[in-house]
Amino acid sequence: RRVGRVDESVKLYRSAVAAMKRKLGAENAGTIGAMNNFAYSLREAKQYKEAMTVLAECVPLMLREYPTHSRTHRSRAWLGQLLHSEKRYDEAEPHLAGVCQELLEQLTGLSAVNKRYLREAVETLVELYRKRKKAGDAEKAAKWEAVLPQLAG
């Protein structure tokens, strides 16, 4: 039952985003929000490559228009996680490291949901550094791994 709804959501968002881009432009706030929701629907439908493509277009717009908004952080983390899953570590790192640093600075004021997103992003970033193995990655992995106990629960 849920699968049919997700597929329906993807179809509707695909159409809505195309129409909004034509009529309002890609940089319109409503269009940016619809693109973000479309990416989320694609992710729920397990259409990860297309979700990554939509997020790659949407996240820079979100960063420019809403740099400190929790949805921007969440979408940026998702993009980093999707790039990581494709072993595109050098592209994933700035998204994951940026979101982790920004949210860590706000740790005391984070909601439980955003704290969970931060923990997931930090775990992915640690894994990225362990897998990539560039100079300095072991130290970066250790630095971020040391943050994880603060994010437990």
Side-chain angles (χ1 to χ4, degrees):
R1 219 197 253 265
R2 182 169 159 78
V3 172
R5 300 237 178 216
V6 170
D7 290 343
E8 183 180 335
S9 171
V10 166
K11 183 179 176 181
L12 291 171
Y13 272 118
R14 181 175 283 117
S15 175
V17 166
M20 291 175 85
K21 281 181 175 181
R22 273 192 317 276
K23 293 181 186 225
L24 304 173
E27 297 184 12
N28 174 274
T31 305
I32 293 169
M35 289 168 61
N36 189 59
N37 292 339
F38 178 40
Y40 181 80
S41 291
L42 288 164
R43 183 175 178 229
E44 289 296 302
K46 299 183 181 353
Q47 296 179 28
Y48 301 121
K49 287 193 187 284
E50 189 174 0
M52 188 169 35
T53 300
V54 173
L55 285 170
E57 180 182 0
C58 181
V59 165
L61 298 171
M62 294 176 80
L63 282 167
R64 191 181 69 227
E65 297 297 324
Y66 316 104
T68 60
H69 196 280
S70 61
R71 289 183 75 188
T72 301
H73 296 310
R74 193 172 327 134
S75 296
R76 190 174 185 199
W78 289 342
L79 177 57
Q81 289 164 333
L82 288 168
L83 289 164
H84 172 267
S85 72
E86 293 288 315
K87 297 180 175 49
R88 293 167 59 179
Y89 302 133
D90 291 343
E91 294 171 73
E93 181 189 19
H95 293 292
L96 291 168
V99 130
C100 290
Q101 189 60 49
E102 289 167 24
L103 289 180
L104 188 60
E105 290 169 6
Q106 304 170 28
L107 185 58
T108 56
L110 284 182
S111 68
V113 170
N114 285 328
K115 197 172 180 182
R116 188 187 76 217
Y117 287 127
L118 173 57
R119 185 178 62 250
E120 291 170 0
V122 169
E123 289 169 348
T124 305
L125 187 59
V126 168
E127 186 178 312
L128 178 153
Y129 288 133
R130 286 187 180 145
K131 286 182 176 180
R132 188 174 69 172
K133 299 180 182 175
K134 280 188 173 183
D137 279 355
E139 293 81 6
K140 291 176 184 176
K143 170 194 161 192
W144 285 107
E145 193 165 37
V147 169
L148 285 171
Q150 298 174 56
L151 307 175

